[in-house]
Amino acid sequence: QVQLVESGGSLVQPGGSLTLSCAVSGFTSVYHVGWFRQAPGKEREGVSCINFFDGSTGYSDSVKGRFTISRNNVKNMVYLQMSSLIPEDTGIYYCAAERTSRPFSRCDLSSPYDYWGQGTQVTVSS
């Protein structure tokens, strides 16, 4: 059973930095892991994703250059390092995963991710 647990959400000032963590378990194949966020009254937005096997990544245009996704296979962790934060980054951040049959495949934030964590709140405010 695939399980995802997010942590690290907090209140941070504009321009600040924050790193979110996602503990993953139950991976029996190659998976893509993605970070998504949702602000009140807005649709869920794909932020970044990574192929847990080969480390290839993808980013939304809104966070490209500011956020970095990474993974640690030994620790079974996925991280989202966020910098130059702006109020628009505020929202509940979710970690999600999808299984793929191809080891070397680029993740896609528009794909229907199957497994989801409970979310962690990130608030960017003075």
Side-chain angles (χ1 to χ4, degrees):
Q1 182 177 355
V2 173
Q3 293 184 331
L4 307 165
V5 181
E6 306 95 332
S7 63
S10 182
L11 172 66
V12 61
Q13 295 183 341
S17 299
L18 190 67
T19 298
L20 305 181
S21 299
C22 175
V24 306
S25 62
F27 281 8
T28 58
S29 183
V30 177
Y31 287 80
H32 297 157
V33 179
W35 285 99
F36 299 79
R37 67 187 182 188
Q38 187 170 25
K42 297 183 179 180
E43 295 182 356
R44 182 172 292 168
E45 173 191 19
V47 176
S48 183
C49 61
I50 188 168
N51 182 321
F52 199 79
F53 173 72
D54 70 7
S56 58
T57 61
Y59 297 90
S60 68
D61 291 337
S62 62
V63 307
K64 192 174 299 182
R66 299 189 298 119
F67 291 11
T68 300
I69 190 170
S70 62
R71 98 296 196 191
N72 187 314
N73 298 80
V74 176
K75 296 182 178 180
N76 291 323
M77 298 287 291
V78 177
Y79 306 99
L80 183 67
Q81 184 177 339
M82 306 181 292
S83 62
S84 301
L85 286 163
I86 58 177
E88 288 75 17
D89 293 321
T90 295
I92 302 175
Y93 281 68
Y94 298 90
C95 184
E98 67 168 355
R99 186 174 61 196
T100 178
S101 61
R102 299 192 300 165
F104 301 97
S105 56
R106 294 281 181 175
C107 59
D108 186 350
L109 290 168
S110 64
S111 296
Y113 284 68
D114 303 304
Y115 310 98
W116 293 80
Q118 80 290 344
T120 185
Q121 178 70 45
V122 173
T123 302
V124 184
S125 176
S126 299

